[in-house]
Amino acid sequence: MKEFQKFDRIGTTPHRSYYIPFSENDIVRTKHGILDRTSSSRFTSLDGVWQIGQLAHVEDFDVNERLHETIPVPSCVQMHGYDQIQYLNSRYPFPVMLPHLPYENPCWHYRRTFNVKKQNGERYYVNFEGVDSAFYLYINGKFKGYSQISHATSEFDITELAIDGENTIDVLVLKWCISTYLECQDKFRFSGIFRNVYMLTRPEGHITDYKIETDYSGKDGILTFYNESENEIKIALEENTVIVPAKMKSVIVIPDVKLWTAEEPNLYSMTLLAKGEKIIESVGFRKVSIDGKVFKINDVPVKLKGVNRHDFNCETAATVSLDDLAKDVHLMKELNVNAVRTSHYPNSPEFYMLCDKFGIYVMDEADLETHGACRRDGRYDIPLWAEYVESDFFTQGITDRHVSLVERDKNRTCVIIWSLGNESSFGKAFFEGATYIKNRDKTRPIHYEGLQFADPKYYYSELVDMVSMMYPSFETIREKVLDNPEETRPFVMCEYTHAMGNSCGDIAEYWDMIYNNEQMLGAFVWEWADHGIKTEKGFLYGGDFNETEHDGNFCADGLLTPDRKLKSNALEMKAVYGGKTRSEVQVVDIPESNHKFASEITIEVNEHTGELTSIKADGNEVLRTPLHFNIIRYIDNDRDLLPQWIDRCHLDSCKPHIFSCEKTKNSYKFKGCLAANCLIPAAEFEIIYNVTGNVLTVTIEYTLADYVECFPRFGIEFGIDKAHETFSYVGFGPTESYADKHVAAEYGFYTSSAKENYDYGYVRPQESGSHYACKYLEVNNLFTVTAEHPFSCSVTPFTTAQLCETLHPFELKENDFVNVCIDLAMRGVGSHSCGPDLPHKYEIPKNKKNTFKFTF
């Protein structure tokens, strides 16, 4: 059993378009607006409970062995107690010893029975829509075939091996095969029969394949039907009925055609008839073209407002249901998304039917990524990537992936761009597959970002129709595309504004550029939803499963939570994709407070640190923790700055040191610095406290040291009693807002609470709930704050230190107080976890002063 060391597929039928045949008299039902394939009498689901056994090695397999355990199909074996859950971003999960694989290669023996009413003149096909990574198929104890490409459909004609009555199907699934070298995608690495399995009963001489192309001329829609079967096909479309001979084509004209777009997804029902079978196709008339530098749909320039999407469910992992798919599509429409990149493999077949129905453009991507190639010597070395794709060894495997991609999805209206894969460099191993797509489908352009990291001689390859980048800076876009006279192709960002944690601070500026440059056809947010495994405690990520190699919470990088709840990232995207790229400060009157005011306050100050240790209003203590300086934060986009902030500059251990203290009966004036042991001061400050009746004014001025390249924030933090967790403010809300992230917010007066204000949806806790450009804060029945200049503020259940140090929301310990942060300046959030540096204008200034007026 050495097939798993080669790229061959054995015993499978040729790749074909996705369709489900019905008997002519079947009543065709729909579900979620698309064809319900279970209503076909020719469709027999083989999903359900299968027997299973785990093996350590391929050679341990015995088709007749007894199996003592069960597992649902489809599912991922790691979600049912087998093997090891593991999340890796860009590394291979085993020793990289191409063309070899480890001897320790777990396998799973699946078995079930199914019934066949075998009849003369009928053929029987078993379809596997997704198996990771490769599998052997046995019918009634006899070997039928072997297949690979995890996200491709594998179809087997089992007619000769099937018997009338009960049949047994055995499947041996391998965790790794040679194709694993081509499937190093950023995701949890799951195994098993993870997509649907079914049997099709079909007549002899049935339809095998066909291709549908659409165009229009004036008001007439033009459909060209290519019969690629060995028998004639009768097709019915609107008032037209045409018989198309075998291996021939026919053209049908539809007057006054309604064109298909994402905004108006008009579909026409077409029926194919042959040999007592019917196939129902939903056809949209649309044309994809590139006019010079401009990408067009139906001769109109289009901007792709996109997201990257994995097939993922937090409870079932890579196994997703039709309900899951429909939920995603409807959420996308609600969030103004009009395009999806199927990262980094073809999604479930029914996803495309939903996109046809409800209107989503699809960049359909081949199941291909060799990211681990450039990590294989412990560095991130780009030339190592090219060695793989310049080798003839991979040509067969890559070509088969390109063929399977285009053949399965060629008749889907929603597919407007083919993508050759992801992060695999580019070289001669791509030529055959890309040429196949070019010749097979002349109606759609080809995308591939990997040219950015290939030999420069390939950069303007005629096999790729657009220029693509991931996470470019604005300067890079101008230099390499917009101001480059040699770049005449449309430009797309296949990944941008990395949505990890509190992120997407740059999305509005990107779209200012996209909306104003015809060469820019759009962009796809990385990514649609966080990957996290749901448990009774909460969501888990890389490293939570005792795996040796992992990439932490880098999988939690989505617009939505793993269970599809909206985060502020999604709201920011919705606003921008809806056409809004600005949200300005408005004139908002500060409401009069109806609370009883204190007659006087008293304060106590630690003269060695400058911290306020007590504020009493009419004798009642206000503070639960001292009022102190706050210069740290954690968001995932700051992760690359932690070596500077924490390891080098020790901002987390900076303490106030007082140089001078001037005090009177009602005021204190301190000058000092914030410094850590062994280092020069990170900042110098002056802070003045002044008490007048029930008013405390706090004047703060800071100057940052030059050796600290940037600061997270500069402000104050203190705790108050939980009884006062309700607060109101005038600023950008109601969602959290930051210097570079407030387009989804509107400037106004808002009321919230500490618990509502913190976003528990972050899989890794972090800075959340701040409100930008505030001019007023009222903490219910306790105090109000105004200032000379706008400020940022938050009221949440957790301290800054807790959010910096805690790894999961379920580990956040409840306090007996709520935490208030008031910032003179807060750094923008950006998207630097995998994106460009934060623009300088969103860094906090080196020097700033503000005066805050607390009225109790």
Side-chain angles (χ1 to χ4, degrees):
M1 302 178 75
K2 298 295 184 181
E3 289 84 2
F4 67 93
Q5 296 178 344
K6 302 177 182 178
F7 290 109
D8 297 333
R9 285 157 52 103
I10 301 168
T12 57
T13 62
H15 295 297
R16 64 165 176 85
S17 56
Y18 171 77
Y19 60 80
I20 297 296
F22 288 72
S23 293
E24 283 191 17
N25 295 325
D26 285 345
I27 297 174
V28 181
R29 299 191 301 268
T30 60
K31 187 174 183 180
H32 288 294
I34 66 171
L35 196 74
D36 179 1
R37 60 192 186 181
T38 66
S39 64
S40 170
S41 61
R42 295 187 173 276
F43 176 95
T44 302
S45 174
L46 298 182
D47 294 345
V49 177
W50 290 50
Q51 294 175 291
I52 191 171
Q54 179 166 303
L55 309 174
H57 314 101
V58 175
E59 56 263 41
D60 296 339
F61 174 70
D62 177 359
V63 72
N64 297 312
E65 69 179 318
R66 295 186 64 185
L67 303 177
H68 303 284
E69 299 173 320
T70 61
I71 192 171
V73 169
S75 69
C76 301
V77 297
Q78 288 85 357
M79 298 298 288
H80 293 271
Y82 298 99
D83 194 47
Q84 171 75 64
I85 294 178
Q86 182 183 33
Y87 163 65
L88 284 174
N89 171 18
S90 57
R91 292 177 286 168
Y92 288 121
F94 48 59
V96 184
M97 42 193 185
L98 185 75
H100 305 290
L101 292 160
Y103 175 67
E104 301 294 335
N105 187 3
C107 308
W108 296 276
H109 182 181
Y110 290 77
R111 179 185 295 143
R112 70 159 291 165
T113 59
F114 63 101
N115 288 310
V116 174
K117 294 182 180 179
K118 197 166 186 183
Q119 299 178 25
N120 291 331
E122 298 279 2
R123 302 202 69 81
Y124 305 92
Y125 298 85
V126 172
N127 281 258
F128 295 83
E129 288 189 337
V131 181
D132 197 329
S133 67
F135 66 101
Y136 295 87
L137 174 64
Y138 291 77
I139 302 295
N140 296 321
K142 296 181 180 178
F143 175 70
K144 173 56 194 174
Y146 168 83
S147 191
Q148 55 191 315
I149 308 181
S150 294
H151 299 86
T153 299
S154 300
E155 183 176 62
F156 299 86
D157 183 347
I158 64 166
T159 306
E160 279 67 36
L161 296 180
I163 60 174
D164 186 46
E166 186 176 82
N167 290 257
T168 300
I169 181 171
D170 287 272
V171 180
L172 180 66
V173 176
L174 284 67
K175 181 173 183 178
W176 300 315
C177 67
I178 194 64
S179 281
T180 309
Y181 283 103
L182 297 178
E183 296 179 4
C184 189
Q185 290 102 337
D186 174 11
K187 61 184 178 71
F188 279 98
R189 308 299 175 91
F190 289 112
S191 313
I193 305 175
F194 68 94
R195 286 183 180 166
N196 303 110
V197 186
Y198 52 86
M199 182 180 72
L200 298 178
T201 302
R202 311 198 62 189
E204 292 279 2
H206 58 76
I207 296 169
T208 53
D209 207 1
Y210 51 89
K211 184 170 72 163
I212 300 167
E213 293 181 352
T214 63
D215 200 346
Y216 62 90
S217 177
K219 294 184 178 181
D220 293 339
I222 301 168
L223 182 142
T224 304
F225 182 87
Y226 297 84
N227 180 358
E228 299 179 342
S229 303
E230 299 292 339
N231 54 278
E232 66 179 29
I233 301 175
K234 180 181 179 181
I235 58 176
L237 176 63
E238 294 287 280
E239 305 300 322
N240 302 277
T241 301
V242 178
I243 294 177
V244 186
K247 303 297 183 181
M248 300 294 287
K249 71 176 183 179
S250 183
V251 176
I252 297 177
V253 177
I254 304 296
D256 296 317
V257 72
K258 294 182 178 179
L259 299 179
W260 185 96
T261 64
E263 294 70 34
E264 296 184 17
N266 298 301
L267 294 173
Y268 291 78
S269 181
M270 182 170 73
T271 303
L272 285 58
L273 297 164
K275 303 292 184 178
E277 268 188 345
K278 65 180 177 185
I279 296 171
I280 310 297
E281 283 283 1
S282 294
V283 178
F285 285 83
R286 59 104 184 91
K287 179 170 69 175
V288 183
S289 61
I290 292 177
D291 183 4
K293 297 180 179 181
V294 183
F295 179 84
K296 295 182 176 181
I297 301 290
N298 302 335
D299 295 313
V300 177
V302 166
K303 300 297 187 185
L304 302 183
K305 302 171 181 180
V307 294
N308 284 272
R309 179 188 175 278
H310 275 283
D311 274 342
F312 184 80
N313 176 297
C314 62
E315 297 182 88
T316 58
T319 297
V320 294
S321 67
L322 179 57
D323 290 346
D324 294 331
L325 300 173
K327 182 176 183 179
D328 275 359
V329 168
H330 291 306
L331 275 171
M332 288 174 188
K333 298 296 286 187
E334 291 174 17
L335 294 172
N336 295 324
V337 171
N338 73 357
V340 171
R341 176 182 178 223
T342 65
S343 52
H344 300 293
Y345 46 79
N347 287 181
S348 295
E350 289 175 304
F351 178 73
Y352 301 79
M353 299 177 74
L354 290 164
C355 292
D356 283 350
K357 172 67 177 178
F358 297 104
I360 297 285
Y361 299 122
V362 174
M363 177 188 282
D364 202 8
E365 188 152 278
D367 192 353
L368 175 60
E369 180 169 342
T370 65
H371 214 145
C374 68
R375 302 287 303 274
R376 67 185 191 268
D377 71 352
R379 301 172 295 160
Y380 199 99
D381 190 0
I382 298 300
L384 290 176
W385 237 341
E387 290 179 15
Y388 274 27
V389 291
E390 290 289 11
S391 165
D392 292 332
F393 178 80
F394 284 108
T395 298
Q396 179 187 359
I398 292 175
T399 300
D400 200 21
R401 288 159 193 276
H402 290 155
V403 173
S404 67
L405 168 75
V406 72
E407 292 302 342
R408 194 195 73 171
D409 297 334
K410 60 182 176 286
N411 294 327
R412 297 277 62 82
T413 303
C414 62
V415 176
I416 59 168
I417 299 170
W418 302 115
S419 180
L420 298 180
N422 185 63
E423 293 177 313
S424 299
S425 188
F426 186 81
K428 61 184 181 180
F430 273 77
F431 294 171
E432 186 176 331
T435 301
Y436 179 90
I437 296 176
K438 279 281 186 183
N439 293 333
R440 181 66 165 139
D441 181 17
K442 300 183 185 299
T443 69
R444 299 176 177 97
I446 292 178
H447 161 273
Y448 187 54
E449 183 271 344
L451 293 176
Q452 298 294 334
F453 301 99
D455 190 313
K457 68 184 179 183
Y458 296 129
Y459 193 72
Y460 294 102
S461 170
E462 293 182 355
L463 295 173
V464 179
D465 298 302
M466 59 190 67
V467 61
S468 176
M469 295 181 190
M470 295 180 181
Y471 314 108
S473 66
F474 302 112
E475 294 74 20
T476 297
I477 295 171
R478 293 187 188 98
E479 176 187 347
K480 295 195 69 174
V481 181
L482 301 179
D483 297 338
N484 179 5
E486 295 183 9
E487 187 52 81
T488 60
R489 298 168 292 182
F491 170 64
V492 65
M493 288 181 285
C494 65
E495 296 178 21
Y496 82 120
T497 196
H498 197 256
M500 185 177 184
N502 189 346
S503 188
C504 299
D506 48 14
I507 189 170
E509 287 193 64
Y510 274 122
W511 276 87
D512 264 342
M513 183 177 276
I514 293 168
Y515 285 134
N516 289 293
N517 287 278
E518 65 176 8
Q519 189 174 7
M520 299 183 72
L521 66 93
F524 296 79
V525 176
W526 187 268
E527 64 175 307
W528 174 239
D530 290 341
H531 298 225
I533 304 301
K534 187 175 183 179
T535 67
E536 291 182 359
K537 294 188 297 185
F539 295 115
L540 303 183
Y541 48 76
D544 290 334
F545 306 97
N546 299 315
E547 67 270 51
T548 304
E549 294 84 22
H550 63 84
D551 285 305
N553 69 315
F554 205 66
C555 54
D557 53 4
L559 295 160
L560 312 179
T561 64
D563 54 352
R564 299 320 199 245
K565 292 182 174 63
L566 302 187
K567 296 189 288 186
S568 62
N569 301 345
L571 299 177
E572 193 79 352
M573 179 197 70
K574 178 182 181 180
V576 172
Y577 280 7
K580 181 185 177 189
T581 59
R582 297 282 190 281
S583 190
E584 305 292 349
V585 173
Q586 306 294 325
V587 176
V588 178
D589 292 334
I590 297 175
E592 292 186 11
S593 176
N594 57 8
H595 294 297
K596 180 182 178 182
F597 286 92
S599 57
E600 67 172 2
I601 62 168
T602 59
I603 64 173
E604 295 180 13
V605 182
N606 183 330
E607 296 183 17
H608 302 290
T609 64
E611 296 177 352
L612 271 181
T613 57
S614 174
I615 303 174
K616 290 181 179 177
D618 289 342
N620 297 310
E621 181 60 58
V622 172
L623 296 180
R624 291 295 178 267
T625 64
L627 186 153
H628 58 276
F629 286 115
N630 186 20
I631 61 171
I632 63 171
R633 76 171 187 193
Y634 176 84
I635 62 171
D636 289 318
N637 284 332
D638 294 341
R639 55 196 283 138
D640 288 345
L641 292 168
L642 296 182
Q644 180 199 157
W645 289 349
I646 307 303
D647 300 338
R648 178 188 166 211
C649 300
H650 301 292
L651 296 186
D652 58 332
S653 56
C654 280
K655 295 179 180 179
H657 298 269
I658 301 303
F659 302 154
S660 66
C661 171
E662 300 176 15
K663 60 181 179 177
T664 66
K665 179 179 179 182
N666 294 314
S667 69
Y668 293 83
K669 179 179 179 181
F670 296 96
K671 289 186 177 182
C673 71
L674 296 173
N677 289 343
C678 309
L679 297 174
I680 60 177
E684 294 186 353
F685 65 81
E686 179 179 277
I687 186 166
I688 303 171
Y689 303 111
N690 189 75
V691 175
T692 305
N694 69 336
V695 174
L696 168 67
T697 58
V698 182
T699 299
I700 304 171
E701 183 175 11
Y702 70 80
T703 301
L704 306 180
D706 289 336
Y707 82 94
V708 185
E709 294 177 17
C710 62
F711 259 68
R713 71 199 310 168
F714 202 101
I716 54 177
E717 177 179 31
F718 54 94
I720 59 175
D721 193 275
K722 293 177 75 170
H724 304 285
E725 74 149 0
T726 302
F727 68 100
S728 302
Y729 61 96
V730 173
F732 282 105
T735 184
E736 60 191 9
S737 54
Y738 297 85
D740 60 346
K741 180 185 177 179
H742 55 273
V743 174
E746 297 288 350
Y747 201 81
F749 174 77
Y750 299 96
T751 298
S752 185
S753 69
K755 189 172 183 179
E756 292 171 354
N757 192 48
Y758 179 74
D759 190 343
Y760 289 85
Y762 292 124
V763 173
R764 198 284 192 198
Q766 55 200 280
E767 155 62 36
S768 173
S770 189
H771 297 282
Y772 173 64
C774 290
K775 68 175 185 178
Y776 173 79
L777 169 66
E778 177 180 340
V779 175
N780 187 42
N781 204 29
L782 196 62
F783 61 80
T784 63
V785 182
T786 56
E788 287 188 5
H789 306 290
F791 57 93
S792 293
C793 63
S794 65
V795 180
T796 71
F798 308 111
T799 66
T800 299
Q802 283 179 286
L803 298 179
C804 289
E805 297 165 2
T806 308
L807 299 180
H808 301 88
F810 54 81
E811 295 170 331
L812 285 167
K813 294 181 179 179
E814 185 174 348
N815 297 310
D816 60 0
F817 59 88
V818 294
N819 198 64
V820 180
C821 291
I822 298 176
D823 291 293
L824 285 76
M826 166 92 77
R827 191 172 189 268
V829 297
S831 66
H832 187 55
S833 54
C834 195
D837 292 339
L838 186 75
H840 181 73
K841 62 185 175 181
Y842 298 123
E843 298 287 1
I844 76 169
K846 285 287 188 179
N847 175 268
K848 192 168 185 178
K849 180 179 181 180
N850 205 351
T851 297
F852 300 93
K853 178 182 176 183
F854 290 76
T855 304
F856 290 85

